[in-house]
């Protein structure tokens, strides 16, 4: 047997101390701020916080209520197209529908057009991860090793561009707005660029380098649910084509909730629409391509303005109001408890 080495200190040797050094830092003797909480300071902080939150909440709610917004559900109004799209064999057949509405008052200022989806869940873990960020940066990567499956390659091995479930389910309805002025019909000019975040457009998304987009995406195929390849998303503007297409970029930023809206177009304020949308009769011309019936979804088109606090969303204002009310009520409760205890203390001192 081998002899075991003893770890005990030998006779006459001093054992090393494991105590921390006798310094101000290690012995926690450094100067520190020790606030003395008095009833006046505590109550003043509660009431000031409540007043601040209530003031900001009222301003935010009033601001959100001042937003002009029109929301139209076209799920049922385009029922014929909806039935056509439920059959996947009709994917190459076009279907159009029209929706008329009236603006009783002018909508002045910048006007934004959104499309809204209801009961469409984008927050599933596998759905959120089903993309290849390296591919979207224009790199030649092996997407079979990514999270894009089963939307990565076809059976013959041809890679999909872009790959993944997010890209495959991209919203592809086309919405145009027309103004019915007297006996003429005027198409409302809308901007389809400048709607995505600057960091997405210039940092996170890039097209493969080549002398033209068709050759850059050679050897790839469109996702199964797309009607055209990625390099034909915008044939009129090469700067808005391929992976840097604004509609594609906006769709790739998934929503945390089942009901959401995405920015689709902005009003181009020229000629008759320089001040905004004038009152009158309008028509939405919709090319219906995105089916929603199977998952009991709904589709909306929204026209809205924005204010200094954003769009028509009162949640932040309500949150401030609730927080301010809670802080103010807590201040009153603490005041009542303090007065009650002070009376008891005075009573026992007199006894």
């Amino acid at each position: 047997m081998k002899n075991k080495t003893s770890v005990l200190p030998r006779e006459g040797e001093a054992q090393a101390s494991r105590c921390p050094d006798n310094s101000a830092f290690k012995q926690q003797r450094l100067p520190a701020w020790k606030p003395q909480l008095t009833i006046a300071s505590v109550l003043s902080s509660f009431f000031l916080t409540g007043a601040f939150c209530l003031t900001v909440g009222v301003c935010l709610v009033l601001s959100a209520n001042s937003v002009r917004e029109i929301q139209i559900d076209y799920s049922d109004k385009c029922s014929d197209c909806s039935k056509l799209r439920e059959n996947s064999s009709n994917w190459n057949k076009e279907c159009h529908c029209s929706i008329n509405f009236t603006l009783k008052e002018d909508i002045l200022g910048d006007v934004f057009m959104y499309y809204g989806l209801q009961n469409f869940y984008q927050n599933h873990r596998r759905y959120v991860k089903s993309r290849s960020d390296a591919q979207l940066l224009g790199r030649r990567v092996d997407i079979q090793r990514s999270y894009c499956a089963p939307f990565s390659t076809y059976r013959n091995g041809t890679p999909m561009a872009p790959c993944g479930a997010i890209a495959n389910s991209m919203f592809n309805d086309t919405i145009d707005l027309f103004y019915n002025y007297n006996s003429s019909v005027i198409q409302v000019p809308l901007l389809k660029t400048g709607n995505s975040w600057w960091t997405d457009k210039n940092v996170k998304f890039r097209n493969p380098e080549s002398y033209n987009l068709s050759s850059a995406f050679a050897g790839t195929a469109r996702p199964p649910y797309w009607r055209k390849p990625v390099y034909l998303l915008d044939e009129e503007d090469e700067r808005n084509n391929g992976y840097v297409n604004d509609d594609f970029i906006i769709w790739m930023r998934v929503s945390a909730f089942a009901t959401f809206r995405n920015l689709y177009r902005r009003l181009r304020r020229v000629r008759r629409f320089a001040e905004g949308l004038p009152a009158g009769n309008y028509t939405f011309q919709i090319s219906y391509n995105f089916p929603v019936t199977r998952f009991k979804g709904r589709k909306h088109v929204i026209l809205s303005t924005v204010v200094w606090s954003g769009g028509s969303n009162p949640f932040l204002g309500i949150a401030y109001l609730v927080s301010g009310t809670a802080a103010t009520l807590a201040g009153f409760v603490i005041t009542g408890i303090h007065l009650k205890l002070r009376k008891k203390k005075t009573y026992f001192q007199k006894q």
Side-chain angles (χ1 to χ4, degrees):
M1 292 179 62
K2 294 183 179 179
N3 295 329
K4 295 184 178 179
T5 304
S6 176
V7 295
L8 297 175
R10 295 180 181 178
E11 231 178 281
E13 291 183 357
Q15 186 176 3
S17 175
R18 301 180 65 182
C19 296
D21 297 336
N22 188 21
S23 62
F25 176 75
K26 292 188 177 181
Q27 296 297 333
Q28 299 185 13
R29 294 195 300 266
L30 292 175
W33 178 56
K34 300 178 181 179
Q36 300 295 327
L37 298 178
T38 62
I39 188 63
S41 62
V42 172
L43 289 178
S44 60
S45 63
F46 271 95
F47 285 120
L48 288 176
T49 302
F52 172 78
C53 290
L54 288 174
T55 303
V56 174
V58 170
C59 294
L60 289 174
V61 170
L62 293 177
S63 175
N65 291 336
S66 65
V67 173
R68 295 288 308 280
E69 180 176 298
I70 295 176
Q71 179 170 316
I72 298 175
D73 187 330
Y74 66 94
S75 305
D76 297 330
K77 295 181 179 179
C78 299
S79 57
D80 293 338
C81 293
S82 178
K83 294 177 182 178
L84 180 70
R85 287 289 171 256
E86 290 309 311
N87 188 347
S88 59
S89 61
N90 297 325
W91 67 271
N92 58 345
K93 296 181 180 179
E94 294 187 0
C95 189
H96 302 272
C97 60
S98 301
I99 301 173
N100 300 320
F101 67 98
T102 302
L103 286 182
K104 297 182 179 179
E105 298 178 359
D106 297 344
I107 300 182
L108 303 178
D110 294 327
V111 182
F112 300 84
M113 180 188 293
Y114 302 83
Y115 63 84
L117 291 177
Q118 184 176 343
N119 204 37
F120 188 92
Y121 290 85
Q122 289 188 310
N123 54 6
H124 193 280
R125 182 181 62 86
R126 291 189 61 187
Y127 182 88
V128 173
K129 294 174 65 176
S130 184
R131 58 187 291 167
S132 174
D133 291 320
Q135 184 196 41
L136 297 176
L137 282 171
R139 301 173 184 170
R140 298 288 183 178
V141 295
D142 184 7
I143 60 176
Q144 290 184 342
R145 297 182 179 180
S146 65
Y147 293 101
C148 288
F151 301 103
S152 54
T153 59
Y154 285 93
R155 293 181 179 178
N156 59 2
T158 304
M160 298 181 189
C163 70
I166 305 176
N168 184 57
S169 61
M170 178 180 170
F171 183 85
N172 57 352
D173 282 2
T174 303
I175 307 173
D176 294 315
L177 180 60
F178 293 89
Y179 176 48
N180 304 317
Y181 181 71
N182 294 334
S183 58
S184 60
V185 178
I186 304 173
Q187 184 171 5
V188 179
L190 300 172
L191 295 171
K192 56 184 176 181
T193 58
N195 300 325
S196 59
W197 292 11
W198 185 91
T199 52
D200 288 346
K201 185 83 171 181
N202 297 277
V203 178
K204 295 184 179 181
F205 292 82
R206 286 281 189 277
N207 284 323
E209 294 184 0
S210 183
Y211 62 92
N212 60 36
L213 281 182
S214 60
S215 61
F217 289 98
T220 64
R222 57 175 176 81
Y225 291 172
W226 285 30
R227 303 184 64 183
K228 54 186 177 181
V230 65
Y231 54 86
L232 295 179
L233 289 179
D234 189 350
E235 302 179 58
E236 300 176 357
D237 188 356
E238 187 176 350
R239 296 172 299 177
N240 189 44
N241 206 355
Y243 292 152
V244 295
N245 178 263
D246 275 40
D247 293 338
F248 174 71
I249 292 174
I250 291 173
W251 178 260
M252 293 299 292
R253 184 174 290 277
V254 297
S255 173
F257 303 100
T259 299
F260 62 93
R261 62 176 64 178
N262 285 335
L263 182 58
Y264 182 67
R265 297 289 184 265
R266 292 179 295 124
L267 174 66
R268 186 181 179 188
R269 297 173 61 179
V270 294
R271 298 187 296 275
R272 190 178 298 276
F273 308 97
E275 301 297 326
L277 289 179
N281 298 321
Y282 289 84
T283 301
F284 280 122
Q285 292 284 355
I286 299 173
S287 177
Y288 198 106
N289 301 308
F290 194 84
V292 295
T293 306
R294 289 191 176 182
F295 57 89
K296 299 179 181 179
R298 311 289 297 180
K299 293 194 291 186
H300 306 83
V301 57
I302 303 111
L303 294 175
S304 176
T305 60
V306 295
V307 290
W308 63 271
S309 60
S312 178
N313 188 359
F315 173 78
L316 186 60
I318 295 174
Y320 268 102
L321 290 176
V322 172
S323 302
T325 303
T328 305
L329 291 177
F332 282 116
V333 171
I334 294 174
T335 302
I337 294 174
H338 171 68
L339 294 176
K340 186 176 181 180
L341 294 178
R342 189 172 65 175
K343 288 181 180 180
K344 283 187 176 181
K345 184 177 180 181
T346 305
Y347 173 77
F348 284 115
Q349 285 178 350
K350 287 182 181 180
Q351 294 296 322

